[in-house]
Amino acid sequence: MGTMTTATYNVVLAVHYLLTIRWNFSERRLKKWEPLMLAMPPVVGLGVSLPQIPLDYYNNTNLWCWIKAGWEYEDAVQRTYNARWAFAFAPLWAFIVFITLAQLYLWYTVREIERRCSRYRKFSSVREQSSQSRSVAQQAALYVMGFYATNLPYTVIAATQRFYNPHTTGGFLALLAVVVFAPLQGFWNLFVYRRKTIFVAVKNRYAQSRDAISSIAKDVRSSVAKDARTTLSKKGKAPNVGNGPDEKMDTEKDPNVQCSDNTKDKSLDEEKAKSAEDIADFEDNGIVLPGERDPF
């Protein structure tokens, strides 16, 4: 009952779009049809569900309680699928085909409106001219694909005209496909009509996460660089890590660096004094150093 009621509601929705866009029904005019449109889905759902009660065709079908003839019938499998096609799959796919044709007609109507408007408007490109029809085509295609994705697995199983044992690999996979896709009609509809909002929310969340990760990575690098400078300063080294003039080590106030500079200056003075003594000894002994001019 739920499947047929949902399908009928979508048929009513498709009719509503056609009346509004194709035949230009006003809101006031649609109000007159609203009670009939709202009454149709539950009436159709009850109409295909109640006849199974006197026939005693509601039994365990491994997945849920649904149409299944009792095993007291010799042709129980055939009876089951005949009832399913008559009260479920045939009207369901009739509705799906109607919805598909309605969406195609809706797209065709929008495209014709664009063509007529193009005579009086100038567009920068063909893509801009057909933007509305492309948007309608995309929306309609996604909307119809939800019906096919939801109902196709169970229909394929019904077309085989046999039961599937859930204890075998093939039977388990077939029933798993039904269990996964059959309840998703409402999810597909929600996704189709709210997908832009969903995509924007996901994009914003991704941007926020990326900025947060970048900020954390920057803080970690800054902390590691700070720890490295602190460690090197304790060891008496003062390298410039390239983080700007404000972060350079103040070597003039470091006693270890001052001590090292004084030692170098003292060594240099001792070498100069020794060289001067050697030159004086050479001159006393009459030795002419290379590079000096001979007085004779």
Side-chain angles (χ1 to χ4, degrees), residues 136-191:
V136 171
Q138 184 181 23
Q139 184 85 355
L142 293 173
Y143 177 60
V144 171
M145 286 174 59
F147 286 95
Y148 288 93
T150 300
N151 299 290
L152 194 59
Y154 218 161
T155 306
V156 171
I157 289 179
T160 61
Q161 295 285 312
R162 68 186 183 90
F163 286 141
Y164 286 81
N165 186 354
H167 300 290
T168 62
T169 302
F172 175 79
L173 293 178
L175 297 178
L176 179 63
V178 173
V179 170
V180 171
F181 288 99
L184 291 181
Q185 184 64 65
F187 170 78
W188 298 129
N189 289 349
L190 175 65
F191 175 76

Side-chain angles (χ1 to χ4, degrees), residues 39 76 118 121 126 163 201 204 211 222 238 258 281 293:
S118 64
R121 294 180 57 189
V126 178
F163 286 141
N204 292 338
D211 294 341
S222 177
Q258 289 181 351
D281 293 339
R293 184 175 296 179

Side-chain angles (χ1 to χ4, degrees), residues 17-226:
Y17 289 148
L18 288 176
L19 293 177
T20 303
I21 298 175
R22 176 63 183 86
W23 288 289
N24 297 321
F25 271 46
S26 63
E27 189 70 22
R28 182 177 179 181
R29 193 176 180 184
L30 287 172
K31 284 288 185 180
K32 299 178 181 180
W33 293 87
E34 186 174 332
L36 178 61
M37 291 182 176
L38 294 178
M40 282 181 60
V43 170
V44 173
L46 291 172
V48 298
S49 302
L50 294 180
Q52 316 306 319
I53 296 177
L55 296 175
D56 195 20
Y57 273 8
Y58 284 122
N59 292 287
N60 179 22
T61 60
N62 288 324
L63 299 178
W64 37 61
C65 180
W66 199 42
I67 301 173
K68 178 182 177 183
W71 290 114
E72 63 271 13
Y73 298 102
E74 294 181 0
D75 56 344
V77 176
Q78 188 65 37
R79 281 174 176 264
T80 297
Y81 280 111
N82 288 343
R84 289 182 180 181
W85 277 103
F87 295 100
F89 293 117
L92 174 64
W93 281 98
F95 290 163
I96 293 176
V97 171
F98 175 82
I99 293 171
T100 303
L101 296 177
Q103 298 301 310
L104 288 173
Y105 191 53
L106 187 64
W107 164 77
Y108 175 78
T109 301
V110 175
R111 191 185 68 168
E112 289 300 312
I113 294 175
E114 282 182 338
R115 286 184 176 181
R116 289 196 295 268
C117 293
S118 64
R119 301 175 185 176
Y120 309 100
R121 294 180 57 189
K122 292 183 179 180
F123 297 95
S124 60
S125 63
V126 178
R127 182 179 180 86
E128 181 183 354
Q129 178 181 345
S130 60
S131 60
Q132 291 294 330
S133 60
R134 286 188 293 102
S135 178
V136 171
Q138 184 181 23
Q139 184 85 355
L142 293 173
Y143 177 60
V144 171
M145 286 174 59
F147 286 95
Y148 288 93
T150 300
N151 299 290
L152 194 59
Y154 218 161
T155 306
V156 171
I157 289 179
T160 61
Q161 295 285 312
R162 68 186 183 90
F163 286 141
Y164 286 81
N165 186 354
H167 300 290
T168 62
T169 302
F172 175 79
L173 293 178
L175 297 178
L176 179 63
V178 173
V179 170
V180 171
F181 288 99
L184 291 181
Q185 184 64 65
F187 170 78
W188 298 129
N189 289 349
L190 175 65
F191 175 76
V192 169
Y193 287 101
R194 302 291 294 176
R195 69 184 188 281
K196 293 183 179 180
T197 304
I198 294 173
F199 289 156
V200 170
V202 171
K203 184 179 180 180
N204 292 338
R205 180 66 65 178
Y206 170 75
Q208 293 175 0
S209 301
R210 183 185 57 190
D211 294 341
I213 293 174
S214 300
S215 178
I216 294 174
K218 184 177 179 180
D219 293 341
V220 170
R221 288 195 299 267
S222 177
S223 177
V224 171
K226 185 177 180 181

